[in-house]
Amino acid sequence: MRVTSDFFVSALVRRIFGEGGFAAVTKRGAAEAGAVFICVDRLDGSFDLYGPAPQAMFSDLPQGRLFEQVFSRVDHEAVRERLVREARMDPDYWLVDIEARDGRIELPLASDDEPKEDPGAGIFRF
């Protein structure tokens, strides 16, 4: 069972502040299951954007939330345009802004480096 979006965002903001960083919830979405987007301000005029990893990427659904990097080192206008498009599809998303000069934040990321299982494994026995 996955924690609610409200709980996840609260824990993320608290962790960032606990590590001496700054985070702010700039858009509140649906408390139970709103998609969570994270905008990382690198404090040099560039931004990274992370969004929910598509569930179709996984044969087994993960226990917690996984993210994928949507943009890296783009201007704020590119992030804003992406979020405007997101709002048309799902207006109940969350947006958390985090300041991180080096762009590094600890998020559970979906990795494409994981070995892909053969989708036909176990169907045919030789």
Side-chain angles (χ1 to χ4, degrees):
M1 184 169 168
R2 203 162 77 161
V3 298
T4 65
S5 298
D6 188 30
F7 186 85
F8 178 86
V9 168
S10 295
L12 175 64
V13 169
R14 186 179 194 118
R15 180 174 57 84
I16 297 296
F17 274 110
E19 294 170 354
F22 176 78
V25 178
T26 52
K27 182 177 182 318
R28 289 184 60 88
E32 295 80 29
V36 178
F37 287 85
I38 298 166
C39 182
V40 179
D41 184 348
R42 291 176 168 261
L43 304 174
D44 64 357
S46 66
F47 298 83
D48 299 338
L49 181 67
Y50 295 87
Q55 292 182 359
M57 289 177 61
F58 313 104
S59 56
D60 294 324
L61 291 179
Q63 291 293 339
R65 294 176 185 274
L66 290 179
F67 292 87
E68 67 176 350
Q69 190 169 40
V70 178
F71 291 130
S72 178
R73 293 188 176 269
V74 298
D75 63 4
H76 196 263
E77 184 62 22
V79 172
R80 191 190 70 73
E81 288 173 4
R82 172 62 175 85
L83 293 173
V84 165
R85 288 194 313 270
E86 180 65 29
R88 278 186 256 149
M89 292 184 300
D90 179 14
D92 289 333
Y93 72 89
W94 291 74
L95 179 61
V96 180
D97 286 317
I98 298 174
E99 291 181 354
R101 189 171 306 281
D102 59 3
R104 292 188 319 183
I105 59 170
E106 289 186 36
L107 286 176
L109 295 176
S111 174
D112 291 337
D113 302 327
E114 295 176 9
K116 306 273 191 264
E117 287 186 29
D118 177 9
I123 294 176
F124 300 104
R125 296 186 183 162
F126 296 100

